[in-house]
Amino acid sequence: MHALKFDWNPITGIDIVGNFKLHFYSLMWVVAFVIGWYIMKRIFTKEKVSLEYLDPLFIYTVLATMIGARLGHVLFYQSELISEDFFSIFLPFKFKGGFEFTGFQGLASHGAAIGIIIGMYLYRKKYKYKSILWILDRVVISVASGAVFIRIGNFINSEIIGEKSGDFPLGVRFIQDYYNKYDIIRETGIQNVQEAYNAVTNNPQFSSLLEAVPYRHPAQLYESFCYIFVFIILWYFYSKTKKRDQSGFLFGLFLILLWTIRFFVEFVKEPQGEEYINWFGLQTGQWLSIPFILIGLYFMFVYKPKNATK
C-alpha cells in the first residue's frame, strides 16, 4: 500500500529545431552554477576579497565540474564508450546508431568532486591570494547548494532511479525509464514520442502498459532533500562559528556529509552503468564514496596547517 504514489512522465525539455532540445536537466546545471556564483560573491564581499578573482574561479569551477563529471562517468560506469562511441564522451551528441543531439548526459558526482579539487589546485597556482584549502572550504558551500538542483534534474530526466519500493509508503512509477522512446513508439503505434508517453498515462486503451511499470524509490529526491541540509550545515559553520578559520574543516565536513548521504542512498538505488561492481554487498557508488569520507575525517580531525594563518 502506497500512502504517497504518483506516475512520473514529464516533458523533459523544449524542442528547438530538429533533434535539438533545450533540456530542463541542463537548465538545472545553469541554476546550480548561477546560485553558486552568487554565494561565492557574497563570501568574497564578506571577507573583503577582490571580486576580480571571482569570475576566473567561476570558469575554473564550471570546466572542472563538467569535465570531471563526464570523465568520471565514463571511467567508473561506461568505459565501453571509449571504444564504441569515443567522440560522444566530449561532445553533446550520440554518433553510434545514428547522429543525435543528446546534451551532456552521463555525469558522475565522484568524477565532478575529483575534477573540482584538481581545478581548484590549478586555479590556486595562477591566483595566489589565498591558500587552496581556503578556496575549497568556501567553494564546497556552493557545490552543496548546486547538488540540490542537479539531483532535481536527474529526477526530471527519470535517471539514477531507485530500486522497486515494494510496500514502502512512497513510490514513483518512472514511465520514461521503463519504456524508452523506441519502445513506446512500438508499443503504442504513436510516432510522436511525447504523445506516445502521454497516451500511456492518459489513455485507458494503454492502461496495461502503465500497470507494467513498477513503483520505485525516488532516490534522486532523497539525495536532493538531504543536500539542502548539507548546505545549511556548511553555511551555519561558515557564518556562525569560527570553524571557517580552521583550514580544511569545512572541506572535510562537506566530504563527510555529502558522501555519507550518497553511501546510504545507494542502498535503495539501482546500480548504474554496465560495469558496476558489487563487493561485500556494496555498489560502485558506495566504494567510491568511502575514500572521500576518510579524506573528510582527516581534514576535520587530523590535518594541521603549517602556518597558523592562511
Side-chain angles (χ1 to χ4, degrees):
M1 183 71 180
H2 291 83
L4 179 60
K5 63 179 181 180
F6 60 94
D7 300 325
W8 186 240
N9 182 26
I11 296 174
T12 58
I14 302 171
D15 292 325
I16 304 299
V17 60
N19 287 328
F20 288 88
K21 186 175 186 177
L22 178 60
H23 292 271
F24 297 137
Y25 175 64
S26 300
L27 289 179
M28 290 296 99
W29 278 91
V30 173
V31 170
F33 284 127
V34 170
I35 291 177
W37 183 87
Y38 276 103
I39 291 172
M40 290 305 299
K41 180 180 180 182
R42 181 170 177 177
I43 290 172
F44 273 42
T45 302
K46 176 183 177 69
E47 302 199 38
K48 296 180 172 56
V49 176
S50 174
L51 293 181
E52 69 178 284
Y53 298 116
L54 181 58
D55 286 343
L57 176 62
F58 177 76
I59 293 171
Y60 271 79
T61 303
V62 170
L63 292 176
T65 302
M66 300 306 295
I67 294 172
R70 184 58 180 154
L71 293 179
H73 173 82
V74 172
L75 293 175
F76 300 143
Y77 299 106
Q78 204 176 3
S79 60
E80 68 272 10
L81 284 180
I82 297 174
S83 59
E84 295 179 0
D85 199 1
F86 181 78
F87 291 105
S88 70
I89 297 175
F90 305 100
L91 299 173
F93 302 98
K94 178 178 74 70
F95 298 92
K96 183 181 178 181
F99 179 79
E100 181 181 349
F101 176 78
T102 60
F104 286 103
Q105 298 179 350
L107 303 172
S109 53
H110 294 92
I114 295 171
I116 289 171
I117 293 171
I118 295 174
M120 295 306 95
Y121 169 78
L122 296 175
Y123 170 79
R124 171 61 176 75
K125 288 194 70 175
K126 185 172 182 180
Y127 303 97
K128 302 182 179 181
Y129 59 96
K130 292 286 186 178
S131 72
I132 184 173
L133 282 177
W134 185 95
I135 296 168
L136 285 171
D137 280 337
R138 285 143 183 84
V139 163
V140 293
I141 301 175
S142 293
V143 173
S145 71
V148 175
F149 296 96
I150 303 308
R151 283 299 181 245
I152 292 175
N154 293 136
F155 183 72
I156 292 172
N157 268 7
S158 300
E159 59 190 7
I160 315 182
I161 62 172
E163 294 182 341
K164 294 178 182 179
S165 55
D167 294 329
F168 192 72
L170 174 61
V172 178
R173 290 197 286 199
F174 293 96
I175 314 300
Q176 297 180 25
D177 172 77
Y178 191 82
Y179 296 109
N180 66 38
K181 61 183 179 181
Y182 304 107
D183 291 334
I184 203 65
I185 288 173
R186 183 181 65 252
E187 295 286 349
T188 62
I190 301 173
Q191 294 304 305
N192 181 282
V193 175
Q194 193 59 53
E195 289 180 5
Y197 278 126
N198 291 340
V200 172
T201 50
N202 300 319
N203 191 332
Q205 176 184 348
F206 302 107
S207 59
S208 62
L209 296 179
L210 179 61
E211 291 171 359
V213 183
Y215 285 102
R216 295 184 177 275
H217 288 282
Q220 318 95 321
L221 297 185
Y222 296 165
E223 285 192 60
S224 181
F225 180 74
C226 291
Y227 293 160
I228 293 173
F229 292 97
V230 175
F231 169 74
I232 292 173
I233 292 169
L234 288 172
W235 186 255
Y236 170 79
F237 275 98
Y238 170 75
S239 61
K240 300 297 184 181
T241 76
K242 294 184 178 180
K243 286 296 184 180
R244 67 172 177 268
D245 298 322
Q246 181 180 328
S247 185
F249 179 87
L250 292 175
F251 175 56
L253 179 60
F254 165 82
L255 294 178
I256 293 172
L257 292 175
L258 188 132
W259 298 113
T260 298
I261 289 169
R262 176 66 185 272
F263 182 90
F264 284 105
V265 172
E266 288 287 327
F267 282 114
V268 295
K269 187 185 294 185
E270 279 285 309
Q272 298 178 57
E274 298 180 4
E275 299 182 359
Y276 69 90
I277 60 177
N278 188 353
W279 299 337
F280 305 103
L282 300 180
Q283 298 180 11
T284 305
Q286 292 169 308
W287 284 109
L288 291 173
S289 298
I290 291 172
F292 288 102
I293 295 171
L294 294 176
I295 293 171
L297 289 170
Y298 169 77
F299 277 106
M300 280 190 70
F301 302 111
V302 178
Y303 174 76
K304 301 295 182 184
K306 295 180 180 179
N307 301 315
T309 59
K310 298 177 183 177

